């Protein structure tokens, strides 16, 4: 390590240092308090090269290392000129889609730009780094802050932004001197900052706007459309109005209130006049949102676009709470559009998906936030957004489609080579329509496209954005799958060569060296089997159970030993940490690790010797529970699974009284132990919750779904679940004992009582008492809430209870203490994930911690730091949530595909009542969607009577109550331009169930 530092010093010490400069700045805390003055010295050199190896460039600027000859400009454009461009920071921050296009090459990125981009947007910085690493792009990072001719001294009274602009101009002037016209005809500064451009011209520096530069490369619409108008530069109001008038929109006054400035927001938050929180937009009403006060956890309602004031789902905002006289009740209607939008556009109010059915939500993270009523009238704290603290606009963009208008004919292209200004409707209806300019309109009308939000001026009903790319034909499985992966930020790119280089060659087998490893036991003679869903290839776990004597049994859980192949500080580990988890879609699996490891080398396939991490418990036959006087034993091992069974196959073996072979007897022992473990958990207050999990039968040739239905669970599912829970709990206890401040745990927060309000209201309306004071009382209440004449009633309550809870999350033990670490749903004081390292990176971390805890290896230095473990946990939480949402979106997509060719009548239940309809749940297919009694411009909600206390709605003499039975027809409604939606309609109860024959 010392040698490495000495070598690093030799590399960084200038061979021809001209002089030193120093910079003094005040170091502050996160709260802005001054701590100390710091002086940083910088060596200025004259041997920092320009990255161009053309012979016309002087040797002192060119250098001798050919690996640095990145820039190789080619002749192109009408003048057939070669161009090298230096971009400023705003271009890097706002024009990333254009920069990433393959046609954009030979760009110099000053170190000043890299640093400013890193400070302002980590995502843009990582994308920029990736472009600089791509040899085909020919992006060169120039250390202008270390070159004697380009370093910009600080000037008293000059802002940091002005100083950085001056530094970039100085670098551009230097590049023109260093690279003669014989090597490159044009060296230009690219900026949309008018002040910077004006100063560059005054200094005789060649300068271009982004659109001028891009058009000099190619005037092809597919490239020009990627340019963000303005690109971060402020557009004067007169110019903005002129553009709107030219496009037919006309100049207009502000539609929204102007935001408070940063100082006013800071003062308002400090005084309590304003609150801060994240925006959650309703799934059924995109014009209603809620903000949870970060300080108190109390909710505030935002009703209408004016109150939301250009905030979108996920934004961190400052909210002013209105006077109580202006508080209102949350909207009780299912919204499909507003006349408000028609003030600016005559297009359709709703996208094809606005009132469509979809997969039913599972947890509170996927349902609308409920704001607690503070008065008997039902009104709730109501507010308006007065400032944006942090935008949540996705740099990757939004899956969308061109708004086709009420008549479905779509907008008309401008023609004459001019860009058309059109609205695009995001696939996720929580987000507003986005206005873009495009020269490719005719080719986009039937396409699922990607658009990015660039700006949302106060004078526009909609945000401004730009078109990025097309994903394919709307409604096609491939295009919609790409869209859902984009929407949920799931990476489906292939692994890089550096990752594959970390994978052992195939065929792989256990070697004598593996068997000789310290701490690894040879368990190949132990009877082991796996039990998984059908078609499972990535088999993480296997089980064993054997008699020790007449009084005791040894049970074992054997987990794939992934960390014997996945090492820290490697390209594969970095990629696995970034992906975080495997994502399961209906038609394919997106692996966290390369396939050779996932389905072969690490997978505990039947009949093959594999490396494992094994855990053993001694069970007393008298209780069929682990002996608490004997600690669990952990060891690395080599196993050979006797069989890879499905849940159904294992259940058949257990239930077949004629089978008494060793494997079947082992399964029965495991079942008996699992029954007692489950019984003990339930007695401790563990919750038996419900979620609408569906599965598809797929056509092997077309990959279309042939059938869809709720997932069937068997006792063997519970058997495996209990064994995994036992292993995870024991592992959590062991790693926490060894590393109290830096163990990777999984906690399920205790829900706040207000989160149970939807459950309590529904239960009260049905005449059922539910006690939510603890998980134990909730479990007992749910167990007692049965209706002999309605077997599914209890499941509905459990579905509602599940939606009142947030998801469990990973954390570092150093973040929480005692009861805060508990897992509420499982009623366990400690829990972690150990059992799925092939598909979850959190489990990889736990394996490394456990290996160190039992003395098999030293703990990796990064795992000694609680903050580092927390940061890994945070990434795993985001990736896990994104993966779950992508999986659910894939189920929704394939459900839509299934119903395209059929109409089916099925039983349904009322899950919510609204002033103009119902939200119904169809158990057979796990789908939920609205049924509107009245809709359209002339809808009259007076024909409906909503009683929120009784949870009933009456329409035309018929009263519907929450959890009521009803019969529905489920079908796909075809809409213009290849659009479609899942439509749920109430039909008479005597309608025959099943598929409706085609006419």
């Amino acid at each position: 390590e010392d040698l490495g530092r000495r070598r690093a010093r030799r590399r960084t010490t200038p061979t021809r240092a001209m002089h030193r400069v120093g910079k003094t700045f005040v170091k502050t805390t996160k709260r802005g308090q001054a701590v100390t003055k710091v002086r940083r010295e910088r060596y200025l050199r004259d041997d920092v090269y320009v990255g161009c190896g053309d012979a016309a460039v002087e040797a002192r600027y060119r250098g001798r290392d050919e690996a640095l000859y990145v820039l190789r400009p080619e002749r192109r454009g009408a003048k057939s000129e070669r161009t090298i461009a230096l971009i400023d920071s705003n271009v890097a921050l706002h024009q990333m889609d254009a920069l990433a296009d393959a046609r954009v090459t030979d760009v110099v990125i000053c170190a000043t730009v890299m640093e400013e981009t890193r400070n302002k947007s980590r995502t843009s910085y990582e994308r920029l780094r990736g472009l600089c690493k791509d040899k085909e792009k020919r992006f060169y990072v120039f250390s202008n802050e270390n070159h004697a001719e380009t370093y910009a001294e600080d000037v008293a009274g000059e802002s940091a932004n002005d100083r950085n602009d001056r530094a970039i101009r100085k670098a551009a002037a230097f590049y023109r001197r260093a690279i003669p016209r014989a090597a490159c005809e044009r060296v230009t500064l690219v900026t949309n900052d008018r002040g910077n451009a004006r100063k560059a011209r005054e200094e005789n520096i060649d300068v271009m706007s982004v659109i001028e530069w891009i058009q000099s490369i190619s005037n092809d619409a597919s490239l020009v459309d990627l340019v963000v108008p303005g690109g971060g530069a402020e557009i004067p109001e007169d110019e903005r109005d002129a553009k709107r008038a030219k496009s037919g929109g006309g100049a207009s006054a502000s539609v929204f209130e102007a935001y408070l400035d940063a100082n006013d927001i800071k003062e308002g938050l400090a005084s309590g006049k304003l609150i801060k929180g994240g925006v959650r937009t309703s799934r059924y009403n995109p014009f209603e949102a809620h903000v949870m006060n970060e300080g108190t956890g109390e909710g505030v309602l935002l009703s209408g676009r004016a109150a939301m004031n250009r905030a979108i789902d996920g934004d961190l905002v400052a909210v002013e709470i209105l006077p109580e006289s202006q508080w209102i009740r949350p909207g009780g209607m299912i919204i499909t559009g507003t006349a408000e939008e028609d003030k600016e556009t005559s297009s359709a109010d709703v996208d094809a998906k606005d009132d469509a059915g979809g997969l039913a939500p599972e947890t509170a993270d996927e349902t609308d936030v409920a704001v607690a009523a503070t008065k008997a009238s039902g009104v709730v704290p109501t507010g308006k957004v007065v400032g944006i603290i942090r935008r949540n606009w996705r740099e990757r963009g939004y899956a969308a489609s061109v708004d086709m208008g009420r008549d479905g004919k779509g907008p008309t292209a401008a023609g004459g080579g001019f860009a058309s200004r059109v609205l695009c409707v995001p696939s996720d209806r929580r987000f507003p329509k986005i206005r873009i300019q495009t020269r490719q309109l005719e080719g986009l009308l039937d396409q699922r496209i990607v658009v990015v939000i660039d700006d949302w001026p106060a004078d526009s009903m909609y945000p401004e954005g730009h078109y990025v790319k097309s994903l394919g034909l709307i409604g096609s499985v491939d295009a919609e799958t790409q869209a859902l992966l984009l929407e949920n930020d799931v990476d489906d790119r292939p692994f890089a060569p550096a990752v594959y280089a970390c994978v052992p060659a195939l065929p792989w087998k256990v070697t004598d060296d593996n068997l000789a490893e310290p701490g690894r036991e040879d368990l190949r003679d132990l009877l082991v089997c796996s039990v998984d869903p059908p078609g499972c290839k990535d088999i993480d776990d296997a089980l064993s159970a054997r008699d020790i004597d007449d009084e005791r049994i040894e049970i074992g859980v054997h987990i794939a030993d992934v960390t014997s192949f996945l090492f820290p500080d490697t390209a594969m580990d970095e990629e696995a940490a970034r992906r975080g988890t495997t994502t399961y879609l209906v038609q394919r699996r997106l692996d966290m690790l390369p396939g050779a490891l996932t389905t072969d080398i690490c997978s505990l396939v039947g009949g093959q010797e594999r490396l494992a991490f094994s855990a053993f418990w001694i069970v007393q036959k008298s209780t069929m529970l682990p002996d608490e006087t004997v600690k669990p034993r952990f060891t690395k091992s080599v196993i050979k699974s006797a069989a890879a069974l499905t849940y159904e196959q294992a259940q058949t073996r257990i239930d077949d009284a004629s089978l008494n072979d060793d494997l079947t007897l082992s399964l029965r022992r495991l079942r008996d132990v699992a029954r007692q473990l489950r019984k003990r958990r339930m007695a401790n207050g563990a919750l038996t919750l419900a979620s609408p999990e569906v599965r598809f039968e797929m056509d092997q040739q077309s990959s279309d779904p042939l059938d869809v239905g709720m997932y069937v669970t068997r006792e063997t599912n519970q058997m495996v679940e209990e064994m995994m829970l036992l292993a995870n709990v024991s592992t959590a206890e062991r790693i926490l004992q060894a590393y109290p401040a830096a163990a990777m745990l999984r906690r399920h927060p205790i829900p706040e009582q207000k989160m149970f309000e939807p459950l309590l209201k529904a239960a009260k309306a049905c005449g059922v008492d539910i006690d939510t004071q603890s998980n134990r009382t909730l479990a007992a209440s749910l167990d007692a809430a049965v209706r002999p004449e309605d077997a599914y009633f209890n499941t509905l309550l459990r579905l509602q209870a599940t939606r009142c809870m947030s998801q469990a999350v990973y954390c570092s033990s150093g973040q929480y203490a005692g009861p805060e670490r508990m897992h509420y749903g499982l009623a366990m004081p400690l829990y972690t994930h150990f059992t799925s390292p092939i598909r979850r990176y959190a489990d990889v971390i736990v394996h490394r911690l456990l290996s160190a805890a039992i003395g098999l290896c030293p703990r990796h230095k990064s795992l000694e730091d609680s903050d580092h473990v927390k940061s890994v946990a945070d990434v795993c939480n985001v990736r896990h949530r994104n993966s779950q949402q992508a999986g659910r979106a894939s189920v929704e997509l394939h459900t839509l595909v299934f119903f395209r060719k059929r109409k089916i009548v099925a039983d349904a239940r009322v899950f919510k009542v609204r002033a103009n309809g119902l939200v119904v749940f169809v158990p057979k297919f796990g789908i939920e969607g609205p049924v509107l009694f009245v809709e359209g411009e002339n809808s009259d909600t007076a024909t409906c009577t909503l009683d929120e206390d009784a949870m009933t709605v009456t329409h035309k003499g018929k009263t519907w109550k929450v959890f009521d039975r009803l019969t529905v027809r489920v079908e796909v409604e075809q809409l213009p331009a290849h659009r479609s939606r899942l439509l749920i309609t109430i039909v008479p109860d005597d309608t025959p169930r099943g598929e409706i024959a085609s006419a």
Side-chain angles (χ1 to χ4, degrees):
E1 188 175 346
D2 290 340
L3 177 61
R5 282 198 292 266
R6 288 197 298 272
R7 287 175 175 170
R9 282 198 296 270
R10 284 202 296 270
R11 286 197 298 269
T12 56
T13 301
T15 55
R16 290 180 290 168
M18 298 182 69
H19 63 279
R20 288 186 305 186
V21 294
K23 185 173 184 178
T24 302
F25 59 96
V26 178
K27 188 175 181 180
T28 62
T29 66
K30 291 182 179 179
R31 295 182 179 180
Q33 297 171 331
V35 175
T36 182
K37 286 187 176 181
V38 178
R39 181 175 176 82
R40 182 173 293 168
E41 292 186 337
R42 187 188 300 273
Y43 285 97
L44 300 184
R45 310 163 55 148
D46 61 1
D47 60 344
V48 178
Y49 305 115
V50 297
C52 181
D54 192 285
V57 179
E58 291 184 36
R60 62 183 176 129
Y61 296 130
R62 187 175 70 242
R64 298 179 180 179
D65 187 354
E66 294 186 3
L68 297 177
Y69 298 165
V70 173
L71 302 171
R72 300 186 302 278
E74 301 168 351
R75 296 185 183 277
R76 52 187 172 186
K79 297 182 179 179
S80 187
E81 288 182 331
R82 293 167 294 183
T83 301
I84 292 175
L86 289 84
I87 63 172
D88 70 2
S89 301
N90 276 332
V91 175
L93 288 165
H94 299 288
Q95 304 288 352
M96 192 56 67
D97 289 318
L99 292 174
D101 189 276
R103 289 164 286 191
V104 178
T105 59
D106 301 291
V107 178
V108 175
I109 310 295
C110 292
T112 303
V113 172
M114 290 292 289
E115 181 66 14
E116 192 168 355
T117 304
R118 185 178 69 86
N119 290 336
K120 292 185 176 180
S121 171
R122 189 72 190 185
T123 303
S124 294
Y125 173 71
E126 293 298 338
R127 289 186 70 184
L128 189 59
R129 283 187 63 200
L131 295 179
C132 294
K133 292 178 181 179
D134 185 346
K135 294 181 180 179
E136 300 297 321
K137 291 291 292 178
R138 306 199 295 271
F139 278 36
Y140 182 71
V141 180
F142 174 60
S143 299
N144 65 304
E145 299 287 1
N146 294 97
H147 198 291
E149 294 186 54
T150 58
Y151 179 75
E153 295 274 5
D154 289 345
V155 175
E158 185 180 45
S159 69
N161 183 65
D162 288 344
R163 183 266 172 200
N164 288 343
D165 285 345
R166 180 165 55 84
I168 296 166
R169 293 197 303 273
K170 197 168 184 178
F174 165 74
Y175 256 80
R176 181 68 284 178
R177 294 195 306 272
I179 300 180
R181 296 185 183 279
C184 182
E185 285 80 8
R186 192 166 191 181
V187 175
T188 187
L189 170 64
V190 177
T191 179
N192 277 348
D193 185 321
R194 298 182 181 185
N196 197 21
R198 177 178 52 79
K199 291 179 180 179
R201 293 189 182 97
E202 291 172 354
E203 297 166 12
N204 294 318
I205 297 170
D206 186 66
V207 63
M208 302 172 77
S209 68
V210 175
I211 190 65
E212 291 171 338
W213 173 50
I214 291 297
Q215 288 178 328
S216 75
I217 295 171
S218 171
N219 205 30
D220 189 279
S222 63
L223 177 58
V224 176
D225 277 359
L226 296 176
V227 176
V228 178
E234 188 66 31
I235 302 176
E237 289 301 318
D238 57 348
E239 182 177 330
R240 190 190 301 278
D241 285 343
K243 288 184 177 181
R244 290 172 58 81
K246 184 177 180 180
S247 65
S252 65
S254 292
V255 177
F256 298 99
E257 285 187 17
Y259 294 138
L260 299 180
D261 64 35
N263 288 333
D264 288 340
I265 291 175
K266 186 175 181 180
E267 291 176 4
L269 293 174
S271 67
K273 292 181 179 179
L274 304 178
I275 68 163
K276 178 172 71 171
V279 175
R280 287 276 300 275
T281 307
S282 169
R283 296 177 72 235
Y284 294 109
N285 183 351
F287 310 112
E288 182 174 279
H290 302 88
V291 173
M292 306 307 290
N293 187 339
E294 285 191 350
T296 65
E298 299 298 323
V300 177
L301 173 68
L302 304 176
S303 182
R305 283 286 190 224
M308 294 175 70
N309 196 6
R310 295 169 285 160
I312 69 171
D313 190 79
D315 282 350
L316 185 65
V317 298
V319 172
E320 176 187 329
I321 299 179
L322 300 174
E324 288 192 26
S325 60
Q326 298 180 36
W327 290 7
I328 62 174
R329 296 166 63 98
M333 294 182 63
I334 300 166
I335 302 298
T336 59
T338 68
E340 180 184 21
E341 290 184 293
D342 289 336
K343 294 176 184 177
E344 179 160 325
T345 177
S346 61
S347 63
D349 291 330
V350 294
D351 179 37
K353 295 183 66 175
D354 269 4
D355 57 346
L359 197 65
E362 288 186 350
T363 66
D365 305 280
E366 300 163 355
T367 57
D368 292 347
V369 176
V371 177
T374 58
K375 295 181 179 294
S377 61
V379 301
V380 301
T382 307
K384 63 179 182 179
V385 172
V386 296
I388 305 294
I389 297 172
R390 185 179 65 245
R391 280 292 189 191
N392 192 43
W393 294 348
R394 296 188 201 142
E395 295 193 30
R396 283 165 51 98
Y398 302 84
S401 57
V402 175
D403 191 338
M404 298 303 291
R406 293 185 184 280
D407 57 8
K409 295 180 180 179
T412 303
F418 292 102
S420 302
R421 281 171 59 84
V422 298
L423 285 173
C424 295
V425 185
S427 299
D428 188 336
R429 72 171 309 216
R430 294 174 302 167
F431 298 108
K433 296 176 184 178
I434 303 165
R435 194 185 300 281
I436 67 167
Q437 298 183 54
T438 178
R439 295 162 180 79
Q440 308 172 71
L441 178 60
E442 292 180 350
L444 302 181
L445 295 179
D446 62 354
Q447 297 289 298
R448 182 66 67 196
I449 62 176
V450 178
V451 296
V452 170
I453 297 177
D454 302 316
D455 187 21
W456 196 341
D459 64 352
S460 174
M461 181 68 74
Y462 304 102
E464 307 280 348
H466 68 273
Y467 163 78
V468 177
K469 62 181 178 180
S470 171
L471 300 176
L473 190 67
I474 292 173
S476 68
V477 171
D478 287 345
E480 301 300 344
T481 298
Q482 287 300 311
L484 69 88
L485 293 176
L486 171 74
E487 288 293 296
N488 294 289
D489 195 21
V490 174
D491 193 348
D492 66 336
R493 292 175 297 181
F495 291 101
V499 175
Y500 282 118
C502 301
V503 181
L506 293 176
W508 179 90
K509 64 178 182 179
V510 172
T511 65
D512 290 340
D513 288 341
N514 295 132
L515 292 166
E517 290 174 9
R520 190 176 298 279
E521 297 183 18
D522 186 350
L523 302 178
R524 290 175 292 179
D525 292 334
L526 179 65
L527 183 61
V528 172
C529 74
S530 61
V531 184
D532 290 286
C536 181
K537 303 289 186 183
D538 50 343
I539 304 175
D540 286 286
D541 56 88
L543 306 172
S544 65
R546 62 181 177 182
D547 284 340
I548 298 176
D549 50 40
D550 292 340
E551 297 180 351
R552 297 178 299 165
I553 298 170
E554 179 193 70
I555 59 172
V557 172
H558 312 272
I559 306 301
D561 187 9
V562 172
T563 54
S564 286
F565 305 95
L566 180 63
F567 301 106
D569 305 320
T570 62
M572 185 161 66
D573 187 60
E574 181 179 332
E575 181 66 13
R578 189 181 66 81
R579 296 191 178 212
T581 184
T582 292
T583 298
Y584 295 89
L585 306 180
V586 170
Q587 79 280 33
R588 62 185 173 125
R589 185 185 67 237
L590 303 174
D591 292 324
M592 181 183 79
L593 298 171
L597 286 174
T598 297
T599 62
D600 191 335
I601 298 172
C602 291
S603 184
L604 305 181
V605 295
Q608 299 294 321
E609 296 178 358
R610 290 291 182 263
L611 304 185
F613 208 149
S614 300
F616 295 99
W617 299 262
I618 302 300
V619 172
Q620 294 293 336
K621 288 185 178 181
S622 59
T623 62
M624 293 306 284
L625 288 170
D627 188 338
E628 295 184 359
T629 65
V630 181
K631 291 184 178 180
R633 184 173 70 88
F634 297 96
T635 181
K636 293 290 184 83
S637 62
V638 178
I639 64 169
K640 184 176 181 180
S641 176
L645 304 175
T646 65
Y647 290 119
E648 184 178 8
Q649 290 170 340
Q651 193 67 57
T652 300
R653 276 183 170 272
I654 291 171
D655 295 341
D656 189 343
S658 66
L659 292 178
N660 290 291
D661 56 280
D662 289 342
L663 179 57
T664 303
L665 293 175
S666 176
L667 288 169
R668 287 176 184 152
R669 294 188 192 99
L670 290 166
R671 176 205 59 189
D672 294 342
V673 174
R675 284 177 175 174
Q676 296 305 311
L677 288 171
R678 186 175 184 82
K679 182 178 179 181
R680 184 174 67 179
R681 278 201 311 112
M682 296 299 113
N684 289 336
L687 299 172
T688 302
L689 301 175
S691 60
E693 187 174 356
V694 300
R695 60 170 300 179
F696 291 88
E697 179 186 343
M698 306 294 289
D699 187 305
Q700 296 301 314
Q701 294 184 341
S702 67
S703 295
D704 287 341
L706 297 174
D707 195 12
V708 57
M710 296 295 289
Y711 186 80
V712 177
T713 59
R714 299 175 172 83
E715 190 177 19
T716 45
N717 293 76
Q718 296 180 353
M719 175 187 77
V720 173
E721 178 188 8
E722 293 302 329
M723 293 300 115
M724 298 304 106
L725 293 176
L726 178 63
N728 288 333
V729 170
S730 297
T731 301
E733 293 170 346
R734 187 66 184 86
I735 62 174
L736 183 66
Q737 179 186 25
Y739 310 116
M744 174 76 82
L745 300 178
R746 187 163 177 81
R747 64 185 290 265
H748 187 204
I750 299 173
E752 296 181 28
Q753 285 302 302
K754 64 183 179 181
M755 295 178 68
F756 287 113
E757 286 188 9
L759 171 65
L760 295 174
K761 286 181 65 176
K764 182 180 179 181
C766 295
V768 174
D769 291 327
I770 299 291
D771 186 345
T772 59
Q773 292 305 307
S774 70
N775 50 3
R776 190 189 298 268
T777 60
L778 176 58
S781 298
L782 290 173
D783 289 343
V786 294
R787 287 179 173 174
E789 76 284 1
D790 186 357
Y792 201 69
F793 174 74
N794 186 261
T795 301
L796 291 168
L797 279 177
R798 293 183 189 275
L799 285 168
Q800 186 65 271
T802 305
R803 297 187 189 188
C804 295
M805 302 176 200
S806 58
Q807 288 186 335
V809 292
Y810 299 107
C811 67
S812 169
S813 56
Q815 294 177 255
Y816 303 97
E820 291 183 313
R821 295 170 176 164
M822 79 168 293
H823 195 294
Y824 175 84
L826 297 175
M828 292 176 173
L830 285 178
Y831 193 65
T832 194
H833 272 165
F834 163 74
T835 53
S836 296
I838 292 178
R839 59 185 179 90
R840 291 189 305 231
Y841 190 73
D843 301 52
V844 172
I845 297 297
V846 170
H847 275 233
R848 289 173 180 163
L849 289 170
L850 183 60
S851 295
I854 63 176
L856 296 181
C857 64
R859 181 168 52 149
H860 190 266
K861 188 173 182 179
S862 65
L863 300 182
E864 297 175 4
D865 181 6
S866 179
D867 288 339
H868 176 77
V869 175
K870 176 186 179 298
S871 67
V872 174
D874 291 342
V875 172
C876 289
N877 288 329
V878 171
R879 292 305 176 195
H880 175 75
R881 182 170 58 251
N882 291 354
S883 175
Q884 294 288 96
Q885 291 173 345
R888 289 170 55 76
S890 180
V891 171
E892 281 193 355
L893 169 61
H894 283 79
T895 301
L896 187 68
V897 172
F898 173 76
F899 280 104
R900 281 177 187 166
K901 299 179 180 179
R902 49 184 66 83
K903 300 177 182 178
I904 295 179
V905 174
D907 294 320
R909 294 301 188 109
V910 176
F911 217 84
K912 296 178 183 178
V913 291
R914 292 290 184 259
N916 60 337
L918 309 170
V919 176
V920 302
F921 173 60
V922 187
K924 178 176 174 59
F925 306 112
I927 59 177
E928 180 179 301
V931 175
L932 299 179
F933 297 147
V934 288
E935 58 180 318
E937 291 183 354
N938 300 316
S939 63
D940 181 11
T941 56
T943 61
C944 299
T945 303
L946 175 66
D947 186 335
E948 292 195 63
D949 292 329
M951 299 201 76
T952 63
V953 62
T954 302
H955 175 61
K956 292 184 178 180
K958 171 69 175 177
T959 298
W960 305 93
K961 188 174 187 176
V962 68
F963 297 160
D964 271 358
R965 294 185 176 96
L966 69 162
T967 307
V968 298
R969 181 178 66 247
V970 185
E971 60 190 306
V972 168
E973 181 183 11
Q974 298 297 329
L975 299 168
H978 303 276
R979 289 160 172 80
S980 60
R981 63 177 175 182
L982 198 62
L983 185 65
I984 303 174
T985 309
I986 300 175
V987 298
D989 288 336
D990 58 359
T991 306
R993 308 303 192 263
E995 187 170 345
I996 300 174
S998 301

